[in-house]
Amino acid sequence: MMDLTQRQWVKHAVTHPVEGFEDMRWKKSGSLKIAFFIVFLLFVGQVFDGRLYGFQFGIPYDKTFSIVPYLVKSVVLFAAWVVGNWSVCTLLDGEGTMKNICIYSAYALVPYIVQLFVNVLLSHVLIRDEAVFINVIRIIGVGWTVILLFSAVRSVHQYSPGKTVFAVILTIAAMLIMLFLLVLFMSLVQQIWIFILSVYTEISYRFRV
Amino acid sequence: MNKRLKFLPLVLSGLLFLAGMSPAAAYADEPYDVYNYDRWGEAIPSQAGYTAERSISGRDLGAGPMDEPSDLFCDHEGNFYIADTGNDRIIVADNALEKTVRIYDRFIMPDGSETTLSKPAGVFVSEERDWLYIADNQNSRVLVSDMDGNVVLEVGKPESDVYDQQRTFLPQKVIADKAGNIYVVLNNITTGAAMFSPSGDFTGFYGANRVEPTAEIITNYIKNIFRSDEKKASMARNVPSGISGFDIDGDFIFTCSQSVTQTTDTVKKLNAAGKNIFAGLELAFGDYTPMYDTANNKLMKPAIVDIDISDDGSINCLDRTTGRIFQYDEECNLMFIVGTKARQVGGFDTAAAVESYGSRLYVLDSAKDTITEFTETSFGAIVHEATALYNDGYYEEALDPWYEVLKRDGNYRRAYIGVASALLRKGDYKGAMKYAKLADSPKLYDKAFEAYRREFLRKHFGKIAAGILIAAGAVIVLKRRKKHGAAVTETEEKEE
């Protein structure tokens, strides 16, 4: 029973929001490689969503292009989720390892990514009056991913539904704290860098004269 | 040797030709960088629509030097009326601004006595009645006289409960509509322009600005719930900025406000009922991103002191902070930015009034005591022609002028919109899509794309339908075969 390949497990987990991840856990299945590939697809999807939308739905600002916001919206956010969830649930008697949290959460993102790609394609076929289709697909994609994420957290840590909600809220708080510290750290490094730079400039001017 | 000598005159004449060219090229330059705004609200270099032709002083007009003139008006016959405030007179100059036609400094009252002006700040001539309206600032009155200087009407401070009697009555600008109603801008009144009936009776205020909902006002509103009445009474009241200038165009009165802190209602288009037609539109007048003035340590926020409507309906707004005229078309799309703060011709110190006649613009500077005349460049003429055609709905007729505009200035966004609209009307949807994309206009692109898609589907419907049918058929056949194959293997297994 349930002798699926790793790829079939993705399909199984995504199409069975309630039991899929439980089955995966029971079979000790899930591949880190596929999880990373999914996160990469998320990144590509975010870039497509930002840059390749049909022009009738808005023209992107293309005087400058920075990859950083897209990285933050995909890879950094996912990493923060995994680390935050792991650190919170370790304290809350969760059973998931970091690896499993990463795999299960990545699998749960599949509907959202599919939604991104489908909408980018649709945006080149539809006009503004028909934007409702795009919106419906987006709502379905996001909703499905939320349900899957909930189910993933529940089965990876073997929580009750109530405790899962609690853990998810704490995870989001942990993510915010982490991002805040990250920004703080970056600005600090920047300040130090500017300080070193100005000292260097000062000294170089002295030596020249 | 001979050969070389032969070439010498040729080279010399070539050099002379170049030398002759360079002053002409320098002449075409403005004393400032000409710019416009792109879709993202960022300043980009542009072609000049107007060029400063000359600057005219009171001496050039033969009327002696002007002293802090504050208003300029061009009547229906093309004569210019200058309110020479410091010299207590009104100068009337001819259309070419070469000589003085007449100077008004004293008027004859209906009872036969003579009266003089004191710091006249505004002047207006009514086309229907041929009357002269003067905002006689220090005499606290508005004088209405005929062209021979006989006073027809004298409007003083209204004795009405609506008008706060503790306030002074110092008219700044005056206009009159077709029916003869007189509108007066007062610099200490924030409730709009004072309106008088043709017989000089005060009828109320017209076109008050709205208070801008800033964060401070909102917090004050919340705090006021808890404040006592005594405290409230001692608080500074939030009042909107007053009107600083206006112009009348047919049935509409355009007003502007020179407050640098206010961004709502800086320019209004009022109908006869005093309702602002621009109110619902999200419009910004003046510079989008004000420059920072390092010398005075402040932002150069726009202060629109005067407004003028050209014959073709363009709106000219004069910004005193930057000394620039922002010219908009009827739909409030920015066309040109003209002028600067400078000593050269084409620059201003304290720009006070703007006026237009035909394709020319005139700006009165009350510190330099001059009038600067701007003439339309050939680029400006083409843009005006194309804009007028476009705004009247002649999209296809506007196509050629718009192409010409693009030839001269590839950054001119309105031209891309014009071309896209024309191509859309013509049925060249692919071209319309291309130009809508270049214009950064998603709405226009949407329309063009909708039409293009419809055309595409109509043309290729047969192929698309056939493709879908074949694909569906293939899927069904494949599935059946798979099932059948599975069934066959199952039976084979059973047999074993």
Side-chain angles (χ1 to χ4, degrees):
Chain A
M1 191 55 195
M2 290 258 173
D3 291 319
L4 305 172
T5 61
Q6 293 293 10
R7 266 189 227 162
Q8 283 168 324
W9 270 116
V10 179
K11 196 182 157 199
H12 183 78
V14 172
T15 48
H16 299 76
V18 184
E19 288 299 316
F21 288 111
E22 286 291 342
D23 294 342
M24 234 168 94
R25 189 185 154 75
W26 174 57
K27 277 284 183 183
K28 292 198 169 48
S29 219
S31 148
L32 204 57
K33 232 190 247 171
I34 290 178
F36 282 148
F37 183 66
I38 289 170
V39 175
F40 173 71
L41 279 184
L42 172 68
F43 167 68
V44 174
Q46 293 284 22
V47 175
F48 278 20
D49 184 60
R51 308 300 304 178
L52 295 182
Y53 236 66
F55 285 112
Q56 59 269 44
F57 296 103
I59 294 174
Y61 183 86
D62 48 10
K63 285 188 184 175
T64 56
F65 173 70
S66 169
I67 200 81
V68 176
Y70 299 107
L71 274 174
V72 169
K73 268 199 277 182
S74 54
V75 179
V76 174
L77 208 62
F78 182 75
W81 164 266
V82 172
V83 174
N85 191 260
W86 175 78
S87 31
V88 166
C89 294
T90 311
L91 301 176
L92 291 177
D93 300 328
E95 290 180 15
T97 59
M98 183 93 101
K99 183 187 162 198
N100 275 350
I101 295 168
C102 179
I103 292 167
Y104 286 38
S105 309
Y107 283 19
L109 288 177
V110 169
Y112 181 74
I113 297 164
V114 169
Q115 168 266 124
L116 284 180
F117 284 103
V118 168
N119 274 349
V120 168
L121 278 180
L122 273 182
S123 75
H124 287 274
V125 183
L126 301 181
I127 55 170
R128 273 187 170 195
D129 292 346
E130 298 153 1
V132 63
F133 292 107
I134 288 181
N135 289 337
V136 164
I137 290 175
R138 176 169 300 141
I139 289 164
I140 292 172
V142 171
W144 198 344
T145 286
V146 167
I147 293 166
L148 281 182
L149 263 181
F150 181 81
S151 158
V153 171
R154 197 171 60 102
S155 40
V156 80
H157 296 299
Q158 296 293 304
Y159 281 162
S160 66
K163 199 169 183 189
T164 313
V165 173
F166 183 60
V168 166
I169 291 168
L170 277 186
T171 305
I172 289 166
M175 282 167 76
L176 286 176
I177 291 167
M178 268 193 289
L179 292 177
F180 173 70
L181 286 178
L182 205 70
V183 170
L184 212 66
F185 177 72
M186 291 226 306
S187 69
L188 199 73
V189 168
Q190 209 173 9
Q191 297 264 339
I192 293 169
W193 174 241
I194 289 169
F195 172 71
I196 293 168
L197 209 70
S198 55
V199 167
Y200 168 76
T201 324
E202 196 88 349
I203 291 170
S204 67
Y205 282 165
R206 298 270 160 194
F207 273 105
R208 206 169 290 162
V209 176
Chain B
M1 191 67 200
N2 258 346
K3 259 186 184 172
R4 269 193 200 168
L5 270 178
K6 242 188 207 168
F7 276 106
L8 197 61
L10 203 77
V11 171
L12 267 178
S13 62
L15 279 175
L16 275 174
F17 179 70
L18 280 177
M21 282 285 286
S22 58
Y27 173 71
D29 275 346
E30 310 302 315
Y32 49 88
D33 291 327
V34 183
Y35 68 102
N36 211 316
Y37 283 101
D38 66 1
R39 175 176 117 99
W40 312 103
E42 288 172 17
I44 45 167
S46 179
Q47 292 283 338
Y50 286 91
T51 182
E53 188 80 21
R54 62 194 176 123
S55 125
I56 304 133
S57 70
R59 271 199 203 89
D60 297 333
L61 293 170
M66 293 187 273
D67 185 16
E68 286 184 36
S70 53
D71 198 16
L72 181 66
F73 182 78
C74 180
D75 75 356
H76 50 281
E77 285 166 2
N79 290 328
F80 285 94
Y81 292 73
I82 306 156
D84 190 0
T85 311
N87 290 329
D88 301 336
R89 61 181 180 170
I90 306 289
I91 302 171
V92 187
D94 66 336
N95 183 249
L97 274 171
E98 272 162 358
K99 59 179 196 296
T100 305
V101 176
R102 191 178 169 156
I103 292 175
Y104 291 100
D105 51 0
R106 54 194 69 240
F107 292 86
I108 299 174
M109 295 296 275
D111 61 359
S113 63
E114 229 174 45
T115 179
T116 52
L117 300 174
S118 176
K119 309 270 180 247
V123 60
F124 180 82
V125 178
S126 132
E127 187 179 341
E128 288 75 23
R129 287 174 174 71
D130 235 6
W131 283 353
L132 190 61
Y133 295 76
I134 299 162
D136 197 0
N137 189 289
Q138 290 301 307
N139 283 337
S140 299
R141 63 177 178 180
V142 171
L143 269 189
V144 184
S145 91
D146 63 9
M147 284 306 172
D148 299 322
N150 299 312
V151 172
V152 183
L153 187 69
E154 187 184 16
V155 180
K157 184 171 168 180
E159 284 165 6
S160 157
D161 292 339
V162 184
Y163 195 93
D164 185 357
Q165 290 302 313
Q166 287 174 346
R167 287 183 187 267
T168 52
F169 183 76
L170 298 171
Q172 286 288 322
K173 297 255 160 100
V174 59
I175 52 169
D177 64 11
K178 275 181 191 160
N181 293 309
I182 306 164
Y183 303 86
V184 184
V185 166
L186 304 155
N187 56 357
N188 58 344
I189 299 289
T190 58
T191 47
M195 187 165 68
F196 296 90
S197 69
S199 56
D201 301 319
F202 180 65
T203 48
F205 292 106
Y206 177 82
N209 289 339
R210 293 170 296 179
V211 175
E212 191 165 16
T214 56
E216 193 192 341
I217 286 170
I218 294 163
T219 47
N220 264 339
Y221 180 81
I222 296 165
K223 280 181 187 168
N224 269 346
I225 300 170
F226 306 104
R227 277 184 183 136
S228 65
D229 288 343
E230 289 84 14
K231 176 81 182 163
K232 268 187 220 168
S234 64
M235 295 281 298
R237 282 167 63 214
N238 291 310
V239 287
S241 60
I243 295 170
S244 48
F246 49 19
D247 193 17
I248 189 160
D249 176 49
D251 296 326
F252 296 102
I253 291 178
F254 291 76
T255 70
C256 63
S257 167
Q258 62 177 327
S259 161
V260 287
T261 51
Q262 183 136 356
T263 51
T264 52
D265 289 350
T266 46
V267 171
K268 295 189 294 181
K269 181 182 183 178
L270 302 169
N271 62 11
K275 199 172 176 304
N276 183 11
I277 288 161
F278 291 161
L281 312 168
E282 298 243 332
L283 296 171
F285 295 89
D287 278 325
Y288 295 137
T289 40
M291 283 213 306
Y292 191 74
D293 183 6
T294 43
N296 297 317
N297 199 23
K298 64 177 184 206
L299 266 183
M300 293 169 77
K301 283 187 184 166
I304 295 166
V305 284
D306 198 20
I307 188 167
D308 173 76
I309 313 303
S310 301
D311 301 338
D312 61 355
S314 327
I315 305 162
N316 304 302
C317 300
L318 182 66
D319 175 15
R320 190 178 52 197
T321 322
T322 54
R324 288 174 185 143
I325 307 159
F326 294 85
Q327 189 177 51
Y328 301 88
D329 71 356
E330 293 167 55
E331 320 284 322
C332 283
N333 297 301
L334 183 62
M335 288 200 289
F336 295 115
I337 301 170
V338 188
T340 188
K341 275 218 148 164
R343 301 242 166 105
Q344 292 100 323
V345 174
F348 309 107
D349 188 323
T350 311
V354 60
E355 192 57 47
S356 63
Y357 181 78
S359 63
R360 285 157 190 259
L361 282 181
Y362 298 90
V363 177
L364 181 73
D365 191 315
S366 63
K368 285 168 114 181
D369 300 335
T370 56
I371 299 168
T372 307
E373 181 182 320
F374 288 94
T375 50
E376 203 179 32
T377 60
S378 60
F379 179 70
I382 299 165
V383 170
H384 284 134
E385 183 199 345
T387 311
L389 285 170
Y390 178 85
N391 285 344
D392 290 345
Y394 297 109
Y395 292 165
E396 286 161 56
E397 287 82 350
L399 185 59
D400 285 330
W402 281 134
Y403 273 135
E404 184 61 30
V405 169
L406 284 181
K407 248 185 232 168
R408 292 167 183 236
D409 183 0
N411 276 340
Y412 208 82
R413 182 177 170 233
R414 296 270 302 145
Y416 288 111
I417 291 177
V419 170
S421 310
L423 292 180
L424 183 61
R425 184 74 66 88
K426 268 188 163 177
D428 179 3
Y429 303 128
K430 193 113 204 204
M433 277 161 71
K434 181 186 156 200
Y435 276 95
K437 205 162 144 186
L438 287 169
D440 283 347
S441 171
K443 268 187 193 164
L444 210 53
Y445 185 90
D446 185 49
K447 273 186 202 159
F449 178 75
E450 185 182 1
Y452 175 74
R453 193 182 65 172
R454 197 192 312 126
E455 202 181 45
F456 181 86
L457 284 178
R458 199 173 288 161
K459 214 183 257 175
H460 302 285
F461 183 74
K463 289 175 210 166
I464 293 165
I468 290 171
L469 275 179
I470 289 168
V475 166
I476 291 166
V477 168
L478 276 176
K479 265 196 175 168
R480 225 177 240 177
R481 194 170 276 177
K482 215 176 173 185
K483 242 186 198 171
H484 190 70
V488 166
T489 46
E490 246 171 49
T491 47
E492 275 171 3
E493 273 169 11
K494 268 184 187 172
E495 273 169 13
E496 275 177 22

